[in-house]
């Protein structure tokens, strides 16, 4: 079987984009011919690596995957308007560059967001006369409207209409959460027989990692470390974490660290500066291969989502990595698929996402030993090993595609 994957983001870019790379690598290892049409890398900082600069088209191979990159307007995660223009330039450049691919395909798999990817996928499936599958990692524009990134308008209603029409045109839908699968069935009206939930899972590099001297490197040997890793974006009320740190300034052994970058970083750092906090560090973007070390070095891992309707369907891919590290997790939300998974694994420590008081009290109880954490972290890791190893989900994905 020959598969063409359409995704604007692909390694060496970082984040949830690794999902498709890892799955594509598994497909190749199992005899599938995989090609990927993606963008010249620039996410999340808007910086194009040197070897790709000035290229309108760039072909390479990664672990047996044929990768075809098209020019896109570079844009940092902190430049939403420029990123929107980038989505359009990707659509145009891919439609031009697809003529350079001479082989035929049995299936086009388009991963969204952005919303332009399924548009490209549908068009190429018609040009190439092959099956069409959409992978839905997040609902857009629904998610953007609920989280407040997009204002409801005629434009967003038009995008929703186009997306729902494309979902119905697809031969199959792959969703990354059970909630999105339900939405496809109950709201969009797609038969459950044509929908598969394929979660991201996690690789052994997270399951088997150690801390590799991270605590010593950053001077955290004697600290009770509360760590957040990921995008510092608008969907997460991370101001609550800063306010909780402010309430715990009388506990010098408790330290908060943020790994990553995003639209909110400057504002969060400004809060820390104005409060004069010495118990908060911003480490910035770190090489992907070091993230397992940071997670393992933490005493507590923290995640948070705005408490809106669409968040109930969300399962941040980092949660698999968090759980695989064997560290306890505190989650800023009361309901949702991620909370349900934590409860299923052994227990969920939650706080209202806008309540620094609740978060501060949770951290204090964990620091004092009032809440036992090591056993909970061990339960999370065992749950991942038994149910969410990436190769388990990759096998289900491949089986689903082979039966389209």
């Amino acid at each position: 079987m020959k598969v063409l994957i359409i995704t604007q983001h692909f390694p060496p870019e970082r984040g949830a984009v690794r999902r498709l790379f890892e799955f594509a690598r598994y497909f190749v290892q199992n005899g599938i011919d995989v090609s990927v049409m993606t963008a010249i890398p620039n996410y999340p900082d808007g910086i194009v690596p040197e070897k790709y600069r000035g290229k309108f088209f760039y072909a390479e191979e990664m672990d047996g995957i044929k990768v075809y990159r098209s020019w896109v307007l570079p844009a940092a995660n902190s430049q939403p308007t420029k990123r929107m223009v980038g989505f359009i330039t990707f659509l145009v450049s891919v439609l031009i560059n697809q003529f350079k691919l001479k082989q035929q395909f049995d299936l086009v798999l388009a991963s969204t967001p952005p919303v332009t990817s399924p548009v490209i996928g549908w068009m190429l499936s018609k040009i190439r006369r092959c099956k069409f599958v959409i992978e839905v990692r997040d609902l857009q524009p629904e998610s953007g409207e609920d989280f407040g990134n997009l204002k409801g308008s005629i434009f967003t209603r038009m995008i929703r209409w186009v997306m729902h029409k494309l979902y119905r045109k697809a031969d199959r839908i792959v969703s990354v959460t059970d909630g999105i699968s339900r939405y496809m069935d109950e709201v969009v009206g797609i038969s459950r027989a044509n929908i598969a939930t394929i979660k991201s899972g996690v690789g052994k590099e997270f399951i088997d990692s150690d801390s590799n001297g991270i605590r010593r490197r950053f001077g955290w040997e004697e600290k009770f470390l509360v760590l957040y890793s990921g995008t510092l974006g608008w969907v997460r009320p991370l101001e609550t974490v800063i306010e909780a740190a402010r309430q715990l300034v009388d506990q010098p052994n408790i330290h908060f660290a943020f790994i990553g970058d995003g639209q909110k970083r400057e504002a969060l750092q400004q809060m820390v500066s104005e409060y004069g906090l010495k118990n908060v560090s911003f480490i910035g973007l770190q090489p992907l291969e070091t993230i397992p070390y940071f997670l393992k070095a933490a005493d507590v891992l923290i995640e948070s989502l705005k408490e809106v309707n669409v968040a109930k369907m969300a399962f941040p891919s980092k949660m698999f990595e968090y759980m695989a590290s064997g560290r306890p997790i505190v989650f800023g939300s009361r309901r949702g698929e991620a909370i349900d998974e934590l409860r299923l694994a052994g227990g969920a420590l939650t706080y209202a996402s806008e309540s620094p008081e609740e978060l501060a009290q949770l951290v204090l109880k964990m620091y004092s030993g009032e809440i036992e954490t090591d056993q909970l972290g061990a339960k999370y890791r065992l749950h991942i090993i038994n149910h969410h190893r990436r190769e388990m989900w990759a096998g289900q994905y491949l089986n689903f595609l082979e039966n389209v």
Side-chain angles (χ1 to χ4, degrees), residues 1-4 32-34 103-108:
M1 183 167 70
K2 295 183 178 181
V3 176
L4 174 63
I32 306 301
D33 186 308
V34 179
Q103 65 265 49
Q104 289 300 311
F105 299 98
D106 300 298
L107 183 150
V108 172

Side-chain angles (χ1 to χ4, degrees), residues 323-338:
M323 295 173 76
S325 73
R327 311 313 300 147
I329 299 164
V330 291
F331 200 111
S333 185
R334 294 299 195 195
R335 297 176 298 166
E337 196 162 315

Side-chain angles (χ1 to χ4, degrees), residues 267-316:
L268 294 171
Q269 287 180 311
Q270 184 64 30
M271 287 179 67
V272 170
S273 177
E274 289 176 358
Y275 292 156
L277 300 180
K278 305 300 183 186
N279 60 344
V280 180
S281 300
F282 290 86
I283 310 302
L285 292 172
Q286 297 296 311
L288 181 66
E289 63 271 16
T290 69
I291 299 303
Y293 306 147
F294 280 99
L295 300 187
K296 199 72 173 181
D299 292 289
V300 180
L301 297 169
I302 190 164
E303 173 62 309
S304 181
L305 289 172
K306 287 184 179 179
E307 298 189 57
V308 296
N309 284 333
V310 76
K312 299 172 190 174
M313 295 184 278
F315 195 107

Side-chain angles (χ1 to χ4, degrees), residues 247-276:
Q247 294 186 16
L248 295 171
V249 290
D250 60 342
Q251 300 288 335
N253 288 335
I254 299 178
H255 192 83
F256 292 78
F258 292 86
I259 312 298
D261 205 349
Q263 296 165 323
K264 274 190 176 182
R265 179 175 176 176
E266 187 175 335
L268 294 171
Q269 287 180 311
Q270 184 64 30
M271 287 179 67
V272 170
S273 177
E274 289 176 358
Y275 292 156

Side-chain angles (χ1 to χ4, degrees), residues 228-249:
Y228 171 87
S229 175
T231 302
L232 309 180
W234 298 113
V235 304
R236 292 175 171 84
L238 297 173
E239 298 84 354
T240 302
V241 182
I242 304 298
E243 294 289 354
R246 186 186 185 191
Q247 294 186 16
L248 295 171
V249 290

Side-chain angles (χ1 to χ4, degrees), residues 112-183:
T112 180
V115 296
T116 46
S117 292
V119 175
I120 297 167
W122 176 73
M123 295 175 73
L124 294 190
S125 73
K126 293 301 179 184
I127 293 170
R128 304 278 173 162
R129 297 181 181 180
C130 59
K131 299 288 187 179
F132 175 43
V133 176
I134 300 178
E135 178 188 78
V136 186
R137 305 187 324 275
D138 190 17
L139 292 167
Q140 291 292 353
E142 292 91 333
S143 181
E145 289 178 325
D146 257 18
F147 281 121
N149 298 345
L150 291 174
K151 185 177 180 181
S153 63
I154 292 175
F155 177 66
T156 58
R157 289 196 292 274
M158 181 181 71
I159 293 176
R160 183 184 295 106
W161 180 83
V162 170
M163 291 301 293
H164 286 205
K165 198 168 185 66
L166 286 170
Y167 295 148
R168 296 186 192 103
K169 285 181 176 294
D171 293 287
R172 297 288 190 277
I173 296 290
V174 173
S175 63
V176 303
T177 72
D178 296 318
I180 293 176
S181 290
R182 285 193 299 272
Y183 184 90

Side-chain angles (χ1 to χ4, degrees), residues 156-221:
T156 58
R157 289 196 292 274
M158 181 181 71
I159 293 176
R160 183 184 295 106
W161 180 83
V162 170
M163 291 301 293
H164 286 205
K165 198 168 185 66
L166 286 170
Y167 295 148
R168 296 186 192 103
K169 285 181 176 294
D171 293 287
R172 297 288 190 277
I173 296 290
V174 173
S175 63
V176 303
T177 72
D178 296 318
I180 293 176
S181 290
R182 285 193 299 272
Y183 184 90
M184 290 293 153
D185 175 20
E186 298 169 6
V187 177
V188 182
I190 296 170
S191 168
R192 286 305 292 252
N194 292 332
I195 305 169
T197 301
I198 305 293
K199 300 184 180 182
S200 296
V202 67
K204 63 180 181 179
E205 67 273 19
F206 285 91
I207 297 172
D208 298 334
S209 177
D210 58 28
S211 61
N212 199 31
I214 287 292
R215 295 181 73 95
R216 182 175 63 257
R217 175 183 167 192
F218 288 91
W220 295 331
E221 296 103 318

